[in-house]
Amino acid sequence: MTGTTAEWEYAPAPESTKVEIKPQYGLFIDGAFRPAKAGKTFETINPANESVLSTIAQAEAIDVNLAVASARRALKGWRRAPALERAKYLYRIARRIQERARELAVLETMDNGKPIRETRDEDIPLAAAHFFHHAGWCDKLRWACPTADGSVPEPVGVCGQIIPWNFPLLMAAWKIAPALACGNTVVLKPAETTSLTALRLAEILQEVDLPPGVVNIITGAGETGRELVAHGDVDKIAFTGSTEVGRAIASTVAGTKKRLTLELGGKSPNIIFADAAIDQAVEGVVSAIWANQGQVCCAGSRLIVEESVADEVIEKLRLRMRSLRVGDPLDKNTDVGAINSRAQLTRIERYIKIGVDEGAQHHEVCDAALPAKGFWCRPCFFTGVQPAHTIAREEIFGPVLVVMTFRTPDEAVARANNTQYGLSAGIWTSRGSKAYEVARQIKAGVIWCNTFNQFDPAAPFGGYRESGFGREGGRSGLSAYLA
Ligand code: NAP
Ligand code: MG
């Protein structure tokens, strides 16, 4: 091989930005868009160039009341609707997401900063898949969650759902699809920096004639979420986001009759044994930590490599990292797009500095120029990392990998479990018995063998310990929406 892949030239392949973005969006309450009562708004920007995309209504307590009241009114009809009627709506939503897939992918990439390759091939198809999957469950709930007397289980009621900015439409689908399938109604709050695809989904709900009030979408910042959590007429809160906010929500909900599921952060291990197919494992590391700029709750952010192959893995990782293209998220060649916000970039940079200050070695090899505007962070990894280092313990939520080594499977397991989180793990080995033995001992909600970041609506997802509780997807996910 002469030179490195970094020297390859690519012709730019930008996706067209011709999608409709309205200059203003209202709140989606009772099947219609309306301004916030107090008239407050906020701007959403494209993190790849800092341009303002749209102005969005900011919901306050009075708007949250209206949304919850609308969901309460709609509950009566929706929970009693024939199961196959509910299924038809979910199918229609799924089909409409597919039909508008390009538009949704472009919108998501512009609002979030993630590469179009990911929104086009992963976020949007998976969002549609969640609605398809749950459409199929509507008339089978009796088998999803059997009741003592064989009757159809009842929905929980009005569900308040709060989602983060890292997979905006996908998280909305994860939350809305099972809730509706079970006969619940919803008030959803997207993250402040990424409301646009949720609002486009609201348009889709209008297009498919979903009865008014079954889904309400209230935009705003953390305060809007707090109002929703504290609201007296909400039966369940489903939250995905940081462990810190998750803790605050748990204490607000404690002592009330509200049900709660929390999907929080992680610091997931990715273990490579010497007998693994090393090239495949390195590809797995790339997708585990550099997909979505590492802003993934289940990112494989701690690489734990068997000592005898550590040099080889690190060398191959360095070479592979060189070939990652960082830049315009709308370019189809781009591997690593923009960080979602300035605040998140600052947080990542702070952790990189802490890693260097604590004595770990920082490796960053992509040297291509970055755009002048926007929030950018080159992928990197740290070696010489000790388990006590801050960067080995805390969730960074960025394209920053820490590499540690082990000598025996027991040591690998001990390192992997040395965390307050328990969301996911990866195991790379060519021996099935070893994969099984190690997986059995790792405390994580999702464990991938010889792959990473694979999602399927039928497979439950969720964590242990500070990664939260409750499962989303599959039968376990449905039980969280049934009384
Ligand atoms: P976050 O603050 O927990 O936000 C998640 C959602 O909760 C957003 O919609 C947020 O609104 C809302 N929110 C904020 N404060 C709230 C409160 N007191 N009550 C109710 N809702 C509230 O997470 P973030 O700011 O997006 O990111 C911070 C860190 O969270 C990340 O760096 C990462 O460590 C972690 N995170 C984890 C996941 C995951 O999937 N597990 C996803 C994203 C982030 P606004 O965004 O509008 O403020
Ligand atoms: Mg934005």
Side-chain angles (χ1 to χ4, degrees):
M1 184 181 200
T2 56
T4 71
T5 48
E7 288 152 19
W8 294 350
E9 287 297 326
Y10 286 79
E15 180 68 41
S16 159
T17 56
K18 279 192 188 141
V19 295
E20 189 200 9
I21 302 179
K22 299 195 171 89
Q24 286 193 335
Y25 284 92
L27 309 170
F28 184 66
I29 297 176
D30 213 14
F33 286 93
R34 55 184 73 190
K37 283 284 175 200
K40 286 199 188 150
T41 60
F42 62 96
E43 287 177 338
T44 193
I45 64 165
N46 178 342
N49 57 24
E50 299 175 58
S51 65
V52 174
L53 294 171
S54 184
T55 300
I56 296 175
Q58 184 182 317
E60 296 185 304
I62 183 167
D63 307 296
V64 176
N65 281 340
L66 288 173
V68 173
S70 153
R72 178 63 60 192
R73 281 194 303 278
L75 182 63
K76 219 170 164 186
W78 185 249
R79 74 191 301 172
R80 294 281 161 248
L84 281 176
E85 279 303 305
R86 287 205 307 273
K88 279 191 216 164
Y89 285 108
L90 291 182
Y91 271 117
R92 279 188 211 158
I93 296 167
R95 291 294 301 274
R96 204 69 190 120
I97 290 174
Q98 286 186 321
E99 284 162 9
R100 296 179 73 163
R102 195 201 79 85
E103 178 190 359
L104 286 162
V106 171
L107 207 53
E108 195 81 298
T109 286
M110 289 174 78
D111 204 16
N112 170 281
K114 62 169 68 184
I116 186 80
R117 203 162 46 80
E118 291 183 15
T119 54
R120 183 195 61 196
D121 298 349
E122 285 158 36
D123 294 54
I124 310 305
L126 268 173
H130 269 266
F131 281 102
F132 277 123
H133 175 84
H134 287 95
W137 272 118
C138 291
D139 62 343
K140 301 173 194 71
L141 298 175
R142 207 185 310 215
W143 291 276
C145 298
T147 51
D149 61 359
S151 59
V152 178
E154 289 289 323
V156 173
V158 172
C159 302
Q161 307 182 319
I162 300 172
I163 55 172
W165 43 260
N166 55 345
F167 293 93
L169 185 71
L170 183 57
M171 288 300 107
W174 275 34
K175 294 273 184 282
I176 293 174
L180 297 198
C182 295
N184 302 278
T185 57
V186 162
V187 178
L188 175 94
K189 192 202 92 67
E192 185 186 1
T193 54
T194 53
S195 310
L196 289 184
T197 47
L199 293 165
R200 187 58 47 102
L201 179 63
E203 291 175 4
I204 288 176
L205 302 181
Q206 288 182 320
E207 288 164 7
V208 305
D209 283 330
L210 187 75
V214 171
V215 173
N216 304 272
I217 296 179
I218 50 169
T219 42
E223 187 53 30
T224 308
R226 226 177 45 77
E227 293 287 354
L228 181 59
V229 170
H231 198 288
D233 199 28
V234 171
D235 299 305
K236 176 195 163 80
I237 294 291
F239 172 79
T240 298
S242 62
T243 297
E244 188 190 347
V245 173
R247 262 196 218 107
I249 290 177
S251 73
T252 305
V253 167
T256 71
K257 284 193 183 143
K258 273 181 208 143
R259 293 179 167 225
L260 178 65
T261 45
L262 296 175
E263 205 272 271
L264 309 176
K267 189 77 183 176
S268 297
N270 202 3
I271 306 171
I272 301 182
F273 285 97
D275 58 32
I278 299 296
D279 289 344
Q280 280 174 34
V282 167
E283 277 313 300
V285 173
V286 170
S287 98
I289 186 63
W290 293 319
N292 199 10
Q293 297 71 244
Q295 301 166 132
V296 182
C297 50
C298 56
S301 49
R302 288 185 296 141
L303 177 60
I304 303 177
V305 195
E306 191 159 348
E307 206 174 85
S308 58
V309 291
D311 288 346
E312 181 189 354
V313 167
I314 289 167
E315 202 37 52
K316 287 188 164 163
L317 195 60
R318 188 196 304 277
L319 190 65
R320 185 64 179 81
M321 193 165 73
R322 254 190 109 80
S323 72
L324 293 176
R325 296 179 64 83
V326 186
D328 181 7
L330 281 165
D331 191 316
K332 294 172 207 108
N333 294 315
T334 294
D335 299 301
V336 179
I339 300 298
N340 180 250
S341 65
R342 187 180 295 286
Q344 187 61 19
L345 177 60
T346 305
R347 179 188 155 99
I348 298 166
E349 287 172 345
R350 182 166 56 81
Y351 274 112
I352 293 175
K353 182 170 182 309
I354 290 173
V356 172
D357 289 349
E358 288 186 353
Q361 284 85 56
H362 180 227
H363 306 257
E364 183 195 280
V365 291
C366 329
D367 45 14
L370 293 176
K373 283 200 144 188
F375 316 129
W376 305 98
C377 180
R378 291 192 174 95
C380 67
F381 66 86
F382 278 94
T383 55
V385 178
Q386 297 303 319
H389 281 163
T390 307
I391 54 169
R393 311 201 67 80
E394 296 184 13
E395 182 184 46
I396 299 174
F397 225 64
V400 184
L401 176 72
V402 300
V403 185
M404 292 178 280
T405 58
F406 69 91
R407 289 185 190 173
T408 64
D410 284 348
E411 199 187 346
V413 168
R415 289 237 146 147
N417 285 336
N418 183 9
T419 170
Q420 76 261 36
Y421 294 109
L423 195 49
S424 77
I427 300 169
W428 299 83
T429 171
S430 54
R431 285 181 44 204
S433 56
K434 190 189 272 180
Y436 177 74
E437 261 313 299
V438 172
R440 220 171 43 80
Q441 297 175 70
I442 290 180
K443 193 81 178 155
V446 182
I447 299 180
W448 289 291
C449 289
N450 296 328
T451 186
F452 210 97
N453 277 346
Q454 297 291 330
F455 303 98
D456 187 292
F461 183 89
Y464 289 102
R465 300 191 284 216
E466 294 201 3
S467 293
F469 51 82
R471 294 290 178 267
E472 297 191 295
R475 274 174 57 181
S476 329
L478 287 167
S479 63
Y481 286 98
L482 291 168

